[in-house]
Amino acid sequence: MQVKETLNEGLKRGYSITLTAAELEVKVSEKLKEAQPEVEMKGFRKGKVPMALLKKQFGPRILGEAMQEAIDGAMNEHFEISGDRPAMQPDVKMTNEDWKEGEDVEVNMAYEKLPEIPEVELSSIKLEKMVVKADASSIDEALASLAETAQDFKARKKGSKAKDGDQVVMDFLGKVDGEAFEGGSAEDYPLVLGSNSFIPGFEEQLVGVKVDEEKDVTVNFPDEYQAEHLAGKEAVFSCTIKEVKEPVAAEINDEMAKKFGAEDLAALKVQIGERLESEYTGASRAVMKRGLLDALDKLVDFDLPPSLLDAEAGQIAHQLWHEDNPEVQGHDHPEIETTDEHKKLAARRVRLGLLLAELGQKAEVEVTDAEMTQAIMNQARQYPGQERQFFEFVQQNQQMQQQMRAPIFEDKVVDHIFGLATVSDKEVSKDELQKSIEALEEE
């Protein structure tokens, strides 16, 4: 096997690999001998088929396998000796495409190697951790918000018209083509206008109704309605309004606290305080992480593989284009060009990604099976009723697993660096923390 360097320019590398016909013949013979004991063929005992017949029968397939294994072996040996780590899958092409059995195999291999990552003195990094305490006013504000979600309804003055957000208690009977249908009637049904819990267009027609009023509501069932015999049909609902109620926030007391699983109001306040401080801690970590990434970006500089830069810039441009054109769901759109701004952001992401990967490898940071399982379970909850199918899909999809593992690995590396950096606490208000978070989102 002959390996000759043809390109050495920056991070780009090129090699020609020659597998001689004699070497290939030896490998084919070895594979045939390895397979011979298990081969059965009519007219011969198992394991006694002549090599010449084996070669005639299985030669072409064995030849392809031997060729692929030899080239793969040469590549692996090259990477072990050179220490190069390809940034992306090497481009391997057979140059003598008119190759015939008995000739040497000539292959070109091209790739971009990952750069040498400079050492970073992590203890020299200075970071500020924003600390926010859950004060009484923040807890009261959260309580008021909870009270709104636990709202009750009280009757409006007689003769008042129903408004959006009001609860209308009514009897109704629905008919299609003049005939009542199953599930199309109810008595004393409480419907909150604007909740979108009924067929589209239904609730809007009840805005302005009064107690004792009778009103016909005409709607069309959606074409994809689950009951096929009603899908796309026009229906008329005869509604008798029995009550019109306005929403009122629940009274903040022990009874309300029990609705949220707390023993009493004091216990609920403690729970809210703990939840708020947990939220503040998460937000503070996000701000500190950005500070760390900014610091690392200033500390290091090294050549970046063009292929990774182009791929990342293209992904950024594609993502931003879809954010600006949310109505386009698929990929049926004009070609999206990358700008200098996209390339600048891509350079930062690639540089920091390579640096964090190197720091994580040196620190022997690993994502455990338990952490992956928890991440999969968390994401599976977004698919109610299909959790098992999602779990099995991820288990069988290596690319999906890598996408889920990457952010966990990054966060663990970031936490590792936090432990080595010089971190000072800074007490701030909730508003100051919020402004810092908003600044991150605007970037």
Side-chain angles (χ1 to χ4, degrees):
M1 186 81 70
Q2 301 170 7
V3 179
K4 181 181 177 182
E5 186 176 78
T6 58
L7 175 66
N8 189 328
E9 183 181 299
L11 297 175
K12 295 182 178 180
R13 297 289 184 272
Y15 295 88
S16 65
I17 301 174
T18 301
L19 174 63
T20 66
E23 288 174 313
L24 185 57
E25 178 66 25
V26 169
K27 286 192 172 292
V28 170
S29 297
E30 288 175 352
K31 292 183 74 67
L32 286 173
K33 286 179 182 178
E34 184 182 332
Q36 187 180 33
E38 300 300 322
V39 175
E40 294 184 64
M41 192 176 290
K42 191 174 181 180
F44 299 94
R45 285 181 295 157
K46 182 178 180 180
K48 298 300 181 180
V49 180
M51 288 296 293
L53 195 55
L54 281 178
K55 188 172 183 180
K56 182 179 180 181
Q57 181 76 10
F58 302 107
R61 178 173 65 83
I62 296 295
L63 185 67
E65 290 178 3
M67 190 184 299
Q68 186 65 54
E69 287 180 10
I71 298 300
D72 288 345
M75 289 171 56
N76 292 334
E77 184 179 356
H78 162 74
F79 289 128
E80 286 180 13
I81 295 172
S82 67
D84 287 354
R85 293 179 295 164
M88 300 183 79
Q89 185 69 23
D91 182 25
V92 181
K93 292 181 180 177
M94 191 170 174
T95 56
N96 52 339
E97 295 179 0
D98 57 348
W99 176 86
K100 299 180 182 63
E101 189 173 351
E103 297 179 347
D104 294 347
V105 178
E106 297 173 2
V107 171
N108 278 349
M109 175 176 69
Y111 63 89
E112 293 169 4
K113 59 174 284 190
L114 290 175
E116 296 295 325
I117 310 296
E119 292 286 337
V120 179
E121 185 54 56
L122 299 177
S123 60
S124 68
I125 299 175
K126 291 180 171 57
L127 300 171
E128 206 171 60
K129 181 180 179 181
M130 304 178 82
V131 179
V132 181
K133 299 295 183 184
D135 55 23
S137 63
S138 297
I139 293 174
D140 288 342
E141 184 180 330
L143 269 175
S145 179
L146 280 179
E148 288 183 10
T149 65
Q151 68 181 6
D152 293 322
F153 292 91
K154 70 173 184 179
R156 284 191 177 277
K157 293 181 180 178
K158 193 170 183 180
S160 296
K161 294 182 178 181
K163 299 178 181 179
D164 200 35
D166 282 357
Q167 183 188 75
V168 173
V169 180
M170 61 180 175
D171 298 341
F172 64 82
L173 174 64
K175 295 182 180 181
V176 171
D177 298 328
E179 296 290 331
F181 57 90
E182 185 179 354
S185 64
E187 295 182 355
D188 296 323
Y189 190 92
L191 174 64
V192 177
L193 304 185
S195 63
N196 297 319
S197 54
F198 265 38
I199 304 166
F202 189 103
E203 295 168 27
E204 293 88 336
Q205 296 181 53
L206 292 179
V207 173
V209 297
K210 303 176 184 178
V211 173
D212 296 332
E213 182 176 344
E214 295 185 356
K215 184 176 180 66
D216 285 346
V217 174
T218 303
V219 292
N220 285 310
F221 282 99
D223 292 337
E224 64 279 5
Y225 195 66
Q226 62 265 27
E228 293 184 7
H229 67 290
L230 298 176
K233 295 288 186 67
E234 182 181 88
V236 178
F237 289 83
S238 299
C239 305
T240 301
I241 311 303
K242 304 175 85 170
E243 293 182 81
V244 174
K245 299 180 177 182
E246 63 180 328
V248 292
E251 189 176 345
I252 300 175
N253 53 24
D254 291 342
E255 287 302 314
M256 189 196 86
K258 290 175 182 176
K259 289 182 180 180
F260 290 97
E263 186 176 335
D264 53 28
L265 184 57
L268 180 59
K269 286 184 177 182
V270 171
Q271 291 178 11
I272 290 173
E274 292 173 348
R275 176 177 59 79
L276 288 176
E277 293 202 353
S278 176
E279 291 175 0
Y280 297 154
T281 298
S284 175
R285 184 188 184 282
V287 174
M288 192 164 76
K289 179 180 176 180
R290 174 54 63 88
L292 170 63
L293 296 179
D294 289 343
L296 290 173
D297 194 34
K298 292 175 183 175
L299 280 174
V300 295
D301 190 24
F302 47 85
D303 291 337
L304 302 174
S307 57
L308 290 184
L309 282 175
D310 291 343
E312 186 66 28
Q315 185 175 341
I316 291 169
H318 195 264
Q319 179 183 343
L320 293 177
W321 188 90
H322 274 284
E323 288 178 4
D324 292 336
N325 300 272
E327 70 282 359
V328 181
Q329 299 296 323
H331 300 286
D332 186 17
H333 52 66
E335 184 177 348
I336 302 168
E337 294 186 6
T338 55
T339 65
D340 289 342
E341 193 63 31
H342 296 147
K343 294 173 183 175
K344 181 180 177 181
L345 181 55
R348 172 186 164 97
R349 287 189 182 179
V350 171
R351 185 183 301 109
L352 289 172
L354 292 175
L355 176 60
L356 290 175
E358 181 76 6
L359 292 173
Q361 185 178 11
K362 287 182 177 178
E364 298 182 348
V365 173
E366 292 184 353
V367 177
T368 65
D369 291 342
E371 289 168 334
M372 273 298 293
T373 299
Q374 186 60 52
I376 297 172
M377 289 174 63
N378 291 342
Q379 196 158 333
R381 292 192 185 102
Q382 300 176 22
Y383 306 93
Q386 298 181 316
E387 292 89 348
R388 183 179 180 83
Q389 293 93 317
F390 179 82
F391 203 93
E392 291 174 350
F393 167 74
V394 174
Q395 286 182 320
Q396 297 167 8
N397 191 311
Q398 290 292 329
Q399 184 177 0
M400 186 70 173
Q401 289 179 35
Q402 182 55 35
Q403 289 176 357
M404 298 183 72
R405 182 179 285 105
I408 303 173
F409 175 81
E410 180 179 295
D411 277 341
K412 293 188 76 170
V413 175
V414 166
D415 286 336
H416 166 72
I417 300 173
F418 284 163
L420 298 174
T422 303
V423 180
S424 57
D425 289 352
K426 180 185 178 183
E427 287 199 18
V428 298
S429 67
K430 178 183 68 173
D431 291 339
E432 287 175 298
L433 177 59
Q434 182 62 33
K435 286 179 182 178
S436 296
I437 289 294
E438 290 172 357
L440 294 185
E441 293 172 349
E442 290 172 1
E443 292 181 5

